[in-house]
């Protein structure tokens, strides 16, 4: 799993998150791709009911979040998977709210 410190993020918008990688290159995590990866993972589970499949198809989920973790993080269903770590709960909340304001969701693990 790839880890990104929040201070490496250069921008966030409805398309995704841009950040500076360890190599100094600007990279992008695209929410649409994260959402597709989430749906593939969920639809691959055994015993899926028709209602569950419908709900997953409508989902805008792009990752998971845990404000109680040390450090707090948002994990995205990118390829490879990505964990964005935050210095504080306040910083975490800013990014969580931005993602949700753009119409995407994350699953709460806390």
């Amino acid at each position: 799993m790839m880890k990104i410190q929040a201070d490496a993020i250069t921008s966030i918008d409805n398309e995704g998150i841009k950040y500076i990688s360890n190599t100094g290159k600007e990279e992008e995590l695209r929410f649409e791709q994260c959402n597709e990866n989430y749906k593939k993972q969920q639809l691959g589970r055994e015993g899926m009911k028709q209602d569950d499949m419908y709900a997953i198809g409508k989902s805008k989920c792009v990752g998971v979040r845990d404000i109680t973790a040390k450090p707090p993080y948002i994990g995205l269903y990118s390829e490879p998977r990505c964990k964005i770590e935050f210095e504080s709960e306040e910083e975490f909340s800013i990014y969580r709210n931005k993602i949700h304001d753009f119409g995407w969701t994350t699953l709460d693990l806390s």
Side-chain angles (χ1 to χ4, degrees):
M1 176 178 294
M2 178 175 58
K3 289 186 182 180
I4 298 171
Q5 299 303 311
D7 60 3
I9 295 174
T10 58
S11 69
I12 180 171
D13 62 22
N14 63 325
E15 298 291 321
I17 295 173
K18 291 182 181 176
Y19 67 97
I20 302 298
S21 70
N22 293 339
T23 62
K25 181 181 172 190
E26 187 172 70
E27 304 279 350
E28 184 173 14
L29 301 165
R30 300 192 52 80
F31 292 141
E32 187 69 37
Q33 184 63 51
C34 294
N35 179 248
E36 289 175 20
N37 292 340
Y38 168 76
K39 289 177 182 179
K40 285 179 192 173
Q41 174 188 318
Q42 294 301 307
L43 292 172
R45 296 183 308 163
E46 289 188 35
M48 293 289 295
K49 296 178 183 172
Q50 190 68 26
D51 289 346
D52 295 333
M53 292 167 66
Y54 178 77
I56 291 167
K58 294 286 187 187
S59 174
K60 298 291 280 180
C61 183
V62 295
V64 297
R65 66 184 189 275
D66 190 345
I67 197 169
T68 63
K70 302 296 182 214
Y73 71 90
I74 295 174
L76 296 176
Y77 290 110
S78 55
E79 193 56 50
R81 295 282 169 89
C82 175
K83 184 182 213 181
I84 303 170
E85 296 181 333
F86 300 93
E87 292 290 322
S88 67
E89 291 180 8
E90 292 78 19
E91 184 181 43
F92 165 93
S93 295
I94 290 168
Y95 282 94
R96 181 206 56 219
N97 291 343
K98 285 182 180 185
I99 291 169
H100 290 209
D101 288 347
F102 289 126
W104 302 101
T105 64
T106 53
L107 301 173
D108 187 7
L109 301 180
S110 55

